[in-house]
Amino acid sequence: MTAVLAQTVDSAYPAYLRCLDEADENGAIELALALLDGGVPADTVLLSLVAPAQAQVGQWWQRNEWSVAQEHAATHISERVVAAVGATVRPRPTRERVVVACLDGEWHALPPRLVAEVLRLDGWDVTFLGASVPSAHLVSYLHRHDPRAVLLACALPMRLPHAFRAIEACRRTDVPVLVGGRGFGSDGRWAHRLGVAFAADARAASSALASPVSSLAPSLVDDSEYPALLAARVELIDLVLDRLDLTRYSPAQIDATTADLGYIVDSLAAAVYVDDASLFAEFVGWLREVLASRGVPLHTVTLTFDVMAERLRDFPRAYAILRAESGYSPTA
C-alpha cells in the first residue's frame, strides 16, 4: 500500500510543478486535496509533493531559469496548498505545546511551516510564529507559554552567529531548543558545533520531541578574529568595489554586487565563527553557480578573494580560508 501511495504522489508531482510554473493556485490545491481524497496521508502530501517541489523551484532560480517573481509566486501557491491541507485534516492535539519559528532575519518560512504542519498532524499542539521573529519577542513568548520545546529554523549558514545568540537566549528561558534547516548543514554538523540538537526533517523533529531534547556545550573557538572581521566588513566591501570596473554596471547591478560582497564577508565570518572552512567552500560553490548562470565573469570572484586576503593577512583563519578558495599567494 505504501508503495502504491508513493507512486500516486510521484505521478502527481509533474502536474504539481506545472501548476507552480503556470501560477495555477486552484489547480495546485485541487491536486493536493485529490491526493488526500485518494487516501494519501497528509504528511506524505506535504513532504513528498510540496517540499521537493519547493526545492526544485529554488534550483530553477539558482540556475536563472526562473525569476524572483516566479519563485515568489510559486512559494505563495505552496503556502496556500499547505494551508488547504491543514484545514482539511485537523486532528485535535494529544501532545504538548511546541513553538516553531524562524530566526530574526530569516524569511524562508515555508520549510518550517511544513515542519509545523507535520508536527500538528502527529498530535503536537503547535504554535507557528512565522518568519523573522525578533529574539526578544520570541523569548517573551516562551516565558508566557512555557512550551515543551522551541524549534528554530535557519536556512542560511551565514546566519549561524545570529542563530547561536537566539539559541542561548531561548535556553535562558529553560525551554529546550531544537533546530533545523540547511543553515545548520545537511547533517547538522554546525548545530552540533553550537551545542544544540538538530532534526533533519519534520519526522525527525517529531521523534526528537518525544524524548527529552538534549543540549551540549558549544565547541566554538574563543578568540577575537570573528568580531574583528565583522568590524572590517564595510572596509572589505569598499576595497573590492574600488578594484572592480564598475563603469559598465547599472545602479541595480552595483547594488547587487555590493549585496553579494556582503554575503561573501558574512559567510567568511560564519566559517570563522564555527571554525569550519567547508562552510565557506559550500557557499562559494553556490555563488559561482548563481553568478555563472547570470553571465557574471567568475574572475571577479577570484579578484574579490585576493583583495580580501591581502587585507586579512593578520587574520590567520580567514586568510587561510580565502587562500584555499582563490589560490591566493601573497606578494612580497
Side-chain angles (χ1 to χ4, degrees), residues 97-102 120 125-130 133-152 169-170 172-175:
R97 173 179 290 188
V98 295
V99 172
V100 181
C102 294
R120 196 188 316 276
D125 185 3
V126 181
T127 299
F128 179 59
L129 300 183
V133 182
S135 295
H137 295 251
L138 175 59
V139 166
S140 176
Y141 193 90
L142 297 180
H143 276 301
R144 180 177 180 181
H145 294 281
D146 191 29
R148 176 179 178 83
V150 56
L151 288 76
L152 300 178
C170 290
R172 287 193 288 272
T173 69
D174 292 327
V175 174

Side-chain angles (χ1 to χ4, degrees), residues 190-234:
W190 299 317
H192 303 151
R193 191 66 60 89
L194 300 182
V196 64
F198 172 81
D201 54 36
R203 293 189 177 106
S206 185
S207 178
L209 289 171
S211 303
V213 178
S214 61
S215 178
L216 304 173
S219 57
L220 299 173
V221 176
D222 184 16
D223 66 13
S224 61
E225 188 166 334
Y226 169 73
L229 185 55
L230 285 190
R233 185 180 190 272
V234 173

Side-chain angles (χ1 to χ4, degrees), residues 3-300:
V4 173
L5 293 177
Q7 186 177 9
T8 302
V9 174
D10 288 344
S11 62
Y13 183 71
Y16 187 78
L17 287 180
R18 284 195 298 274
C19 289
L20 297 184
D21 185 30
E22 297 168 4
D24 182 2
E25 179 180 318
N26 290 330
I29 292 174
E30 290 170 2
L31 190 153
L33 297 185
L35 289 173
L36 294 180
D37 291 341
V40 178
D43 63 339
T44 301
V45 173
L46 297 176
L47 298 180
S48 298
L49 181 73
V50 179
Q54 190 64 21
Q56 180 62 63
V57 167
Q59 291 173 11
W60 282 332
W61 172 85
Q62 184 173 330
R63 298 196 298 260
N64 202 30
E65 297 173 15
W66 272 28
S67 69
V68 171
Q70 287 175 293
E71 185 270 334
H72 284 187
T75 299
H76 168 75
I77 290 171
S78 286
E79 288 172 344
R80 295 284 291 162
V81 169
V82 173
V85 171
T88 303
V89 184
R90 297 184 59 85
R92 294 187 62 83
T94 58
R95 308 168 94 168
E96 298 170 78
R97 173 179 290 188
V98 295
V99 172
V100 181
C102 294
L103 295 163
D104 194 4
E106 283 283 353
W107 297 98
H108 297 82
L110 182 55
R113 172 78 183 277
L114 287 168
V115 171
E117 290 300 327
V118 172
L119 291 177
R120 196 188 316 276
L121 291 168
D122 208 18
W124 295 99
D125 185 3
V126 181
T127 299
F128 179 59
L129 300 183
S132 190
V133 182
S135 295
H137 295 251
L138 175 59
V139 166
S140 176
Y141 193 90
L142 297 180
H143 276 301
R144 180 177 180 181
H145 294 281
D146 191 29
R148 176 179 178 83
V150 56
L151 288 76
L152 300 178
C154 178
L156 303 173
M158 70 179 72
R159 301 287 301 170
L160 285 174
H162 303 276
F164 183 64
R165 290 192 287 273
I167 290 165
E168 290 297 283
C170 290
R171 281 173 170 163
R172 287 193 288 272
T173 69
D174 292 327
V175 174
V177 181
L178 182 66
V179 300
R182 292 173 299 171
F184 294 101
S186 58
D187 56 359
R189 60 188 181 279
W190 299 317
H192 303 151
R193 191 66 60 89
L194 300 182
V196 64
F198 172 81
D201 54 36
R203 293 189 177 106
S206 185
S207 178
L209 289 171
S211 303
V213 178
S214 61
S215 178
L216 304 173
S219 57
L220 299 173
V221 176
D222 184 16
D223 66 13
S224 61
E225 188 166 334
Y226 169 73
L229 185 55
L230 285 190
R233 185 180 190 272
V234 173
E235 179 188 357
L236 289 167
I237 293 172
D238 287 342
L239 285 171
V240 177
L241 289 175
D242 287 343
R243 291 286 300 276
L244 293 174
D245 180 9
L246 301 179
T247 56
R248 298 181 180 179
Y249 284 39
S250 68
Q253 288 173 323
I254 293 175
D255 288 344
T257 300
T258 302
D260 288 342
L261 293 175
Y263 298 149
I264 290 172
V265 178
D266 292 343
S267 295
L268 177 63
V272 168
Y273 190 81
V274 298
D275 196 27
D276 188 348
S278 71
L279 186 156
F280 191 68
E282 289 185 12
F283 166 77
V284 172
W286 173 86
L287 179 65
R288 288 182 183 277
E289 181 175 351
V290 169
L291 295 180
S293 70
R294 288 154 176 79
V296 178
L298 294 184
H299 70 80
T300 59

